[in-house]
Amino acid sequence: MEIRRGLLWMIGAAVAATALSIAAAQTAEMRGVVLDNVRIIDGSGAAPIENGRIVIERDRIAQIGRAAAIAVPAGAETVDLAGRTVIPGLIDLHFHIENDPKLALRQLSHGITAFRDPGQWDEKFDELRRMIAADNIPGPRIFTTGPHIDGENPAYPADSVVARDREEARRLAEMLAERGASALKIYFRLPFASAKAVIDVCDAHRIPCTAHLELLDARELIAAGLHGLEHVTSFGVSLLPRIEAEAYRQAVLKNNDARRDGRYRVFARANLDGAEAQALYAVLRERRPFLDPTLAVFERRNGGKRSNAAAMLASGFTKMKQLTRRAAQEGARVVMGGHSVVPFAARGEAPWRELELLVDSGFTPIEAIMAATTTAAAFLYRSDQLGALRPGFNADLVVLRGQPDRDVTAIRTVERVMVAGQWVDMAKYREY
Ligand SMILES: [Zn+2]
């Protein structure tokens, strides 16, 4: 009886506390929230604003700039963020949900306020959407593509739809686009004519077409209108002299697993100043496709081992970083994709590792942040609402203790995360 009464009292207190906090949240929403005395990196590539102020009204940024230039609205709730840096919410463009919806919420507590899964059935997001609704939070923002479109003998059967010819590819692409895919993804066994049919459907629906190539020649597909590439290894065969390229192609056609070590061998051998690479750069300059290099998933370290295999993998990876930087210099628009689970990052930290590897590859920290914010939003075709801290944009932002423009590893010092104007429960999702 005592226990029961105690329990009832606890429930009553919890309900009252929830009602109070909802009332407080609504009031703050009405009058606005001011983030004060803060350094601002707005995602545009501009130098940080020292001593900044951000006014948030409901789910949007109302005003942003130097504190001296912006008045504090009457009745607004002010949060003093002296010594902290605010950046836009990070966008992870290569997140595989698999059967782990909690990972998306853990990543949210790491500052990832939006993600795209580049190839998965929509049903796989039901559980995450249910959790988001139950917790009454407005994020992370989910962008889906449906399963990827592959040819026969698909590399990942459970995540694919198989198109046996051009017409089937067109019909599948049309079906996925009509079901609300925010992008479509071509997989590497799809023949050129079928891939082109998918690109055409994307153009008609005004959504981007991205691809994991390897067997298809990136130069041909980008010239044919492909909007983006997943994995720097998608450039693989386009870097080799044609006899070697065909040998690699046939090996992978025979067995999808031939690419596991094979792609490191391709990169270790590739000449980034050779005739093939030059032809690729010419297409990059002309078409400016997006490139989601997903370096973290390919990261290999020699670790002082003397084996030839380890040395080959490490040198292949070094070339992947070099090509990522070179591709950007030639016009590719590099974005950030964490790839969920990678060899050298703890759970939920793949996006942070990817940003560090971009800086390792020669990008400035500010450029790396752009890859995960404004450039990523451009690849989502959402440049008018996401990816930057600008009046009218969604109030998706991350508060850091460190200064990532000086040292990119400060991206790991996430203190608070806001999505659509609402603070995220950090303690809860860090346990996920
Ligand atoms: Zn992937």
Side-chain angles (χ1 to χ4, degrees), residues 257-327:
D257 291 338
R259 70 205 159 89
R260 300 215 181 279
D261 280 5
R263 53 194 167 196
Y264 289 92
R265 225 167 283 123
V266 165
F267 272 83
R269 274 213 300 262
N271 175 359
L272 301 186
D273 293 305
E276 289 76 17
Q278 295 295 346
L280 172 65
Y281 304 150
V283 180
L284 296 182
R285 285 193 295 269
E286 195 194 318
R287 312 289 308 207
R288 303 212 58 216
F290 292 97
L291 170 62
D292 190 350
T294 69
L295 291 167
V297 75
F298 300 120
E299 184 173 8
R300 297 292 180 272
R301 297 174 183 175
N302 199 344
K305 282 184 227 125
R306 285 206 199 123
S307 87
N308 288 339
M312 185 279 287
L313 295 175
S315 90
F317 179 63
T318 299
K319 282 271 191 66
M320 289 177 195
K321 289 194 288 186
Q322 287 169 354
L323 180 61
T324 298
R325 181 63 189 147
R326 183 72 186 265

Side-chain angles (χ1 to χ4, degrees), residues 94 96 118 185 231 339:
H94 201 112
H96 291 294
K185 183 177 176 195
H231 313 303
H339 209 285

Side-chain angles (χ1 to χ4, degrees), residues 365-384:
I366 287 283
E367 286 171 335
I369 291 167
M370 288 173 76
T373 57
T374 43
T375 316
F379 194 9
L380 286 172
Y381 291 10
R382 296 289 192 286
S383 286
D384 57 341

Side-chain angles (χ1 to χ4, degrees), residues 295-297 299 317 321 352-363 408:
L295 291 167
V297 75
E299 184 173 8
F317 179 63
K321 289 194 288 186
W352 292 345
R353 185 69 199 133
E354 184 69 13
L355 287 171
E356 290 164 356
L357 286 170
L358 287 175
V359 172
D360 242 26
S361 306
F363 294 82
V408 74

Side-chain angles (χ1 to χ4, degrees), residues 33-247:
V33 176
V34 176
L35 308 185
D36 221 1
N37 300 316
V38 70
R39 287 180 89 229
I40 301 168
I41 295 173
D42 67 7
S44 70
I49 299 169
E50 306 290 341
N51 242 308
R53 181 173 285 162
I54 306 174
V55 179
I56 293 151
E57 277 166 14
R58 298 181 187 279
D59 60 340
R60 305 275 162 164
I61 293 167
Q63 296 184 74
I64 184 163
R66 287 173 37 76
I70 295 172
V72 175
E77 176 202 340
T78 298
V79 183
D80 186 353
L81 292 177
R84 313 299 200 282
T85 299
V86 169
I87 61 171
L90 302 174
I91 301 170
D92 182 351
L93 286 187
H94 201 112
F95 175 78
H96 291 294
I97 192 160
E98 302 296 346
N99 297 306
D100 189 2
K102 283 187 162 180
L103 182 58
L105 292 168
R106 186 177 173 94
Q107 284 204 171
L108 175 64
S109 76
H110 291 167
I112 317 305
T113 53
F115 70 82
R116 179 159 73 204
D117 188 318
Q120 194 48 266
W121 297 89
D122 289 347
E123 289 82 343
K124 288 275 193 172
F125 301 92
D126 290 350
E127 180 59 15
L128 175 60
R129 291 201 161 101
R130 193 198 58 72
M131 292 164 88
I132 287 172
D135 288 357
N136 196 22
I137 47 170
R141 299 176 196 276
I142 303 169
F143 293 88
T144 60
T145 62
H148 48 238
I149 304 173
D150 205 347
E152 289 187 76
N153 189 17
Y156 294 100
D159 306 338
S160 309
V161 287
V162 170
R164 290 165 299 174
D165 58 28
R166 184 192 157 84
E167 174 55 15
E168 204 165 48
R170 188 196 64 74
R171 287 185 51 223
L172 288 168
E174 197 64 54
M175 180 193 79
L176 294 175
E178 268 159 28
R179 285 189 68 117
S182 67
L184 296 181
K185 183 177 176 195
I186 289 167
Y187 228 74
F188 62 72
R189 281 184 174 266
L190 208 61
F192 178 83
S194 300
K196 173 70 175 134
V198 176
I199 294 169
D200 291 345
V201 170
C202 285
D203 279 334
H205 286 265
R206 293 201 173 81
I207 56 175
C209 187
T210 191
H212 178 158
L213 298 179
E214 302 214 41
L215 291 181
L216 291 156
D217 191 311
R219 292 167 297 199
E220 281 179 355
L221 275 191
I222 296 166
L226 182 69
H227 309 99
L229 295 105
E230 304 300 315
H231 313 303
V232 66
T233 52
S234 282
F235 288 134
V237 289
S238 58
L239 294 173
L240 294 179
R242 59 188 193 145
I243 296 175
E244 279 179 61
E246 182 58 21

